[in-house]
Amino acid sequence: SLMEDSEPRVGAAALRGLARWVQAADSEEARGRALLLLSVGLAHGGAAGLAALDALMQIGGEDAVALAQGALASPDCEIAEAAVACVGRHGGRASLPLLLPLLGHVHWNVRARVAQVMEERRHVHAMPALIQKLDEERDEFVRAAILTALASLETH
């Protein structure tokens, strides 16, 4: 019922609280109910979408990653960046290539986050895409993130 509150911050707080509830309940039923509510939050976007992604980041697991993957295409740069972070932290190796097309995202923060995830996860298969993007990238922050990722990946 808190998700339906007229104040968006109340709904966002309720969504964030679901992560703690899932951890305390420690049951598959609670996890399933929480993921369903978080999918609704993601569908609403905005503050609810960000809160849902925060909760998914805390919950983890492949089912949480699957929900976050759906938010990768969001036109909201903060939601797309949070989805990249969630998939990057909790996704298996097979999910990392799904992030590479976002190196061409219109917003610099999403592109930089993808480079950081590739570095953190030591995904050496991302090197060709990072090199290609480096040639095209004009944003200095993103270029620095790509160069850092490439330097780190070269040593592995």
Side-chain angles (χ1 to χ4, degrees), residues 22-23 31 43 47 63 70 83 86 91 103 113 129 131 135 151:
V22 166
Q23 292 164 348
R31 182 182 181 85
D63 44 5
C86 185
L103 285 169
R113 177 66 70 184
I131 291 168
D135 290 339

Side-chain angles (χ1 to χ4, degrees), residues 51-130:
L53 285 162
D54 286 347
L56 291 171
M57 182 73 112
Q58 291 179 36
I59 292 171
E62 285 300 317
D63 44 5
V65 169
L67 286 176
Q69 285 175 343
L72 291 172
S74 174
D76 182 324
C77 65
E78 291 178 338
I79 289 179
E81 181 184 3
V84 167
C86 185
V87 172
R89 177 177 295 167
H90 298 294
R93 299 294 281 175
S95 64
L96 295 178
L98 299 175
L99 302 178
L100 293 176
L102 293 171
L103 285 169
H105 197 278
V106 67
H107 294 285
W108 66 269
N109 58 323
V110 177
R111 298 190 309 268
R113 177 66 70 184
V114 172
Q116 291 167 346
V117 164
M118 295 305 143
E119 175 189 4
E120 291 165 0
R121 293 293 303 272
R122 292 179 168 80
H123 190 61
V124 295
H125 300 293
M127 289 181 71
L130 290 168

